[in-house]
Amino acid sequence: MDAEAQDSFREFVENRSSALLKTAVLLTGGDRHAAEDLLQNALIKAAGHWYRIDEPEAYVRQILYRQQVSRWRLKWRRRELTVAEPPEPGANPDAASAAELRLLMRGALARLTARQRTVLVLRYFEDLPEADVARILGCSVGTVRSTTHRSLARLRTLAPELTALGRQAVDARPQPSRDFSPVEVRP
């Protein structure tokens, strides 16, 4: 890699690594160490092809997704997250801070299978259409749809408080005014 390409690569890593790490953390179910490994491996692979990459972020994200898919296809034993005491639902969901909500979501995502978690991250965090998710994961659109449906159902079962918080957020949105005052129309 020549000096110009090295500078370009360093600048990319400095500017985009935090956003890419967030995606990697979600893909690994909240395991920051595994996410850092996933991102580092993706960056190493990208560095080897840096001179011919047109869209570096898209390229690195594609590597992240494919490496994560490869990890859950290896059928490794799933690591379980152990805690001293089971989490208690908050007494007042309105008082839940954004940090508590993120922790709750991260914990719920960690309890999904790697495939379910990957599909949800690609669909809802990365906001990719089903066809793109299917292409990335190497499966059909129908498989993406059914996996998304089953994943959301399992997420609702594992963390029912998320459903309640989501309903409250929808209810708290400002509703359009239903007051219709007659408008005088003049010819």
Side-chain angles (χ1 to χ4, degrees):
M1 186 183 301
D2 63 355
E4 183 179 327
Q6 283 181 346
D7 291 341
S8 171
F9 182 72
R10 276 194 194 104
E11 183 180 329
F12 171 77
V13 171
E14 288 173 5
N15 293 333
R16 300 305 305 154
S17 63
S18 63
L20 293 168
L21 182 60
K22 288 178 186 177
T23 300
V25 167
L26 289 172
L27 287 171
T28 58
D31 185 348
R32 186 168 177 94
H33 297 292
E36 289 171 351
D37 289 344
L38 187 67
L39 179 58
Q40 185 172 359
N41 289 335
L43 290 173
I44 289 169
K45 287 183 178 185
H49 302 285
W50 192 254
Y51 61 93
R52 62 181 174 166
I53 298 174
D54 293 330
E55 295 182 36
E57 185 162 353
Y59 189 85
V60 172
R61 285 182 185 275
Q62 185 79 16
I63 294 171
L64 284 173
Y65 306 144
R66 290 189 177 181
Q67 282 186 328
Q68 184 61 21
V69 167
S70 295
R71 283 184 175 192
W72 51 260
R73 283 188 177 158
L74 289 176
K75 297 182 181 179
W76 286 351
R77 283 191 316 154
R78 183 184 155 135
R79 296 182 201 150
E80 292 185 18
L81 179 65
T82 56
V83 293
E85 295 179 20
E88 295 182 19
N92 185 0
D94 290 336
S97 68
E100 291 171 342
L101 183 60
R102 280 194 307 271
L103 288 173
L104 181 64
M105 178 59 86
R106 183 178 291 163
L109 283 172
R111 294 187 305 208
L112 294 175
T113 66
R115 182 182 187 103
Q116 291 173 329
R117 184 173 50 251
T118 302
V119 168
L120 290 181
V121 167
L122 291 173
R123 282 286 292 131
Y124 298 108
F125 181 74
E126 293 292 324
D127 199 26
L128 294 176
E130 292 169 338
D132 289 350
V133 175
R135 183 182 44 76
I136 288 169
L137 299 179
C139 62
S140 69
V141 173
T143 301
V144 171
R145 288 180 183 158
S146 63
T147 303
T148 302
H149 177 74
R150 284 192 307 270
S151 303
L152 289 173
R154 181 160 159 84
L155 196 62
R156 287 183 191 106
T157 302
L158 292 173
E161 52 276 1
L162 287 174
T163 305
L165 287 174
R167 283 192 192 122
Q168 288 177 355
V170 168
D171 293 342
R173 287 188 307 196
Q175 298 297 320
S177 173
R178 302 259 183 216
D179 277 342
F180 296 110
S181 54
V183 177
E184 187 177 322
V185 179
R186 294 184 184 169

